Amino acid sequence: MMSVGLARRAAAFGASAAVLATMAAGLVAGPAQAATSATAAGKAASGPKVSVSAPKASPGDYEGSCPAKVNFSAKIKVPVKGKTELAYRWLHGDGSKSKVNVIKLSGKGTKTVTVKQSITFKEDVKGWEAVQVLGPKKVTSKKGYFAVDCQKPQENVRTHLDVSVSARAWASPSSYAGPCTPGDKIDFVGLIETTRPTWVRYRWVLNGDVVDYGKIKVRDARKVGFGISPRHSQRGWAQLEILGPDGTSSNRAYYKVWCKDGYEAPKPQPTKVAGSISVETKSDCSVAASGQITSTGAGRVTYSWSLNGTVVSSGYTYFDRDGGVHSIAGFTSALAGDAAKGGRVTFSITGPNNGDTVTRSYEACKAPAPASAPEATPSASAPAPSAA
């Protein structure tokens, strides 16, 4: 068995031998070769300059119903000389990693590549995402933070003090054909109505993705909207969602885009409106009226009813993109002092591009004929008239 002192001397001898071997290798290589090797090692360590931005979340701070979809994107800058393969993966805040993705690049100069991913969350979460480049050089981005707050549905217990909110949406125009150059081609319009003045939080959803948020003060009714500039043919829908104070959603506003260079799209025809009414005099000396409004497209149409030149009722209605026919409630009014005479009812409407006025006459109220007195019957005891 080797003693402790002998072991120490053997270790010291081994260390000295290693130092001597290193010095000998340096002497054999020579100063010039040693400098060249150091430079090559420095270049190999530095490699191509690759940078990656911190991921951005859209939306970054979500609040609403779940499941919710959050989109992430980051930009990677890579020097390219000839053919280069960019390898990267996503790092998640829970410690997991995505699969490695590879993008082939070619050319010369610095290329900027945008990488994207989408994650759907079903419950509350606060976290981060990062991008790790594995090649041509290993670089990890800073963390991009996000939060999802899933609002739980409340019991539908309402009182007269609660605010009711309704929403409608339509596309204008609902279809587009022509060059898909920059600029809005389809505008989406939403109408928010409330039972009393209140602040309303809303968002727009386009084909399942949240594209816009907002908060406005609504007194009776107010419009909101956004536009899209498609770069390729597509079809889809947009929907206006009310986040508070009363969670609800509008109808889906459908649209269609046909991108065709050199195609001159026909000019959209303006929306036209027209009215029709029916009027009758009732037996109780009252006049009753009802009407209809026909529209060729979307828009808000106002109307008013007049009896012998005096406005007695008014209101408005909304048409979707395809227009149609809406029945309008009229009125029933006593003729009062005009009971013995006829008169006229006027229905006036105003649309986005034109108006219409319809007038109908009504007959005078016919008072019931007075009951005739019964004829007198001669009494049996009365003497018969004498002959002249």
Side-chain angles (χ1 to χ4, degrees), residues 108-125:
K108 186 178 181 181
T110 300
K111 303 282 187 179
T112 300
V113 180
T114 301
V115 295
K116 299 179 180 180
Q117 71 163 352
S118 297
I119 304 177
T120 300
F121 299 96
K122 297 182 179 180
E123 56 187 13
D124 295 350
V125 62

Side-chain angles (χ1 to χ4, degrees), residues 131-206:
V131 176
Q132 186 178 59
V133 178
L134 302 176
K137 182 182 178 180
K138 190 172 182 179
V139 179
T140 302
S141 73
K142 293 182 179 179
K143 297 175 181 178
Y145 293 89
F146 70 96
V148 173
D149 182 8
C150 296
Q151 293 186 344
K152 305 298 186 295
Q154 299 179 354
E155 294 183 2
N156 189 22
V157 179
R158 306 185 62 85
T159 69
H160 68 283
L161 298 177
D162 293 331
V163 181
S164 294
V165 184
S166 61
R168 296 168 60 87
W170 61 89
S172 179
S174 59
S175 62
Y176 169 82
C180 287
T181 53
D184 289 351
K185 299 297 184 292
I186 303 290
D187 290 320
F188 295 97
V189 183
L191 179 72
I192 301 175
E193 295 182 288
T194 61
T195 54
R196 61 185 176 89
T198 186
W199 283 96
V200 177
R201 294 182 298 109
Y202 68 91
R203 69 179 183 179
W204 280 100
V205 178
L206 180 66

Side-chain angles (χ1 to χ4, degrees), residues 281 308 335 337-343 362-365:
T281 302
N308 296 323
L335 295 180
D338 292 335
K341 299 183 298 183
Y362 60 88
E363 296 179 353
C365 176

